[in-house]
Amino acid sequence: QVQLVESGGGLVQAGGSLRLSCAAPGRIFSFAAMGWYRQAPGKQRELVAAITRGGSTNYADSVKGRFTISRDNAKNTVYLQMNSLKPEDTASYYCKAEVQRLIYWGQGTQVTVSS
């Protein structure tokens, strides 16, 4: 069983910042494209940001310029720096690892942005 361990969620005021972390087993992380997704109540899970093994990134239009995804290959960890948070960013955030069509998900971490 592959376990992705997320941390860093919480409650923040609009305009504030949070950094999410997701640690994966080294045997997975080294080969994986990593991503952050989010799901708000009553809505579908959506891609927030993704990063390839080589460091190429892509972002949802709604977070461009505010969120930054990065990976530390020495620590087997992917990060999501979230700045200028808005109430509409409120959701459960999930880490995803994809390796040769195998997909692994974290348990999710809650981000709540108050207005």
Side-chain angles (χ1 to χ4, degrees):
Q1 183 75 12
V2 173
Q3 187 172 12
L4 305 182
V5 180
E6 299 146 338
S7 60
L11 173 64
V12 64
Q13 289 188 332
S17 298
L18 285 173
R19 188 176 80 156
L20 306 183
S21 300
C22 172
R27 69 185 189 280
I28 297 297
F29 192 86
S30 299
F31 302 99
M34 303 295 296
W36 286 99
Y37 287 69
R38 66 186 180 188
Q39 187 168 19
K43 295 188 177 181
Q44 289 189 330
R45 191 171 295 190
E46 63 177 2
L47 173 68
V48 176
I51 186 166
T52 67
R53 289 175 58 191
S56 297
T57 60
N58 69 287
Y59 297 91
D61 287 344
S62 59
V63 306
K64 282 181 181 177
R66 300 189 298 122
F67 291 10
T68 302
I69 189 171
S70 62
R71 62 191 294 160
D72 186 332
N73 293 329
K75 296 182 178 180
N76 300 323
T77 300
V78 63
Y79 303 99
L80 184 68
Q81 179 65 44
M82 305 185 293
N83 298 329
S84 302
L85 282 160
K86 304 175 181 180
E88 50 264 44
D89 295 317
T90 295
S92 292
Y93 283 70
Y94 297 88
C95 175
K96 173 188 171 184
E98 184 169 350
V99 182
Q100 296 181 346
R101 303 181 188 176
L102 296 176
I103 295 174
Y104 307 96
W105 290 97
Q107 79 285 356
T109 185
Q110 179 67 33
V111 172
T112 302
V113 184
S114 63
S115 58

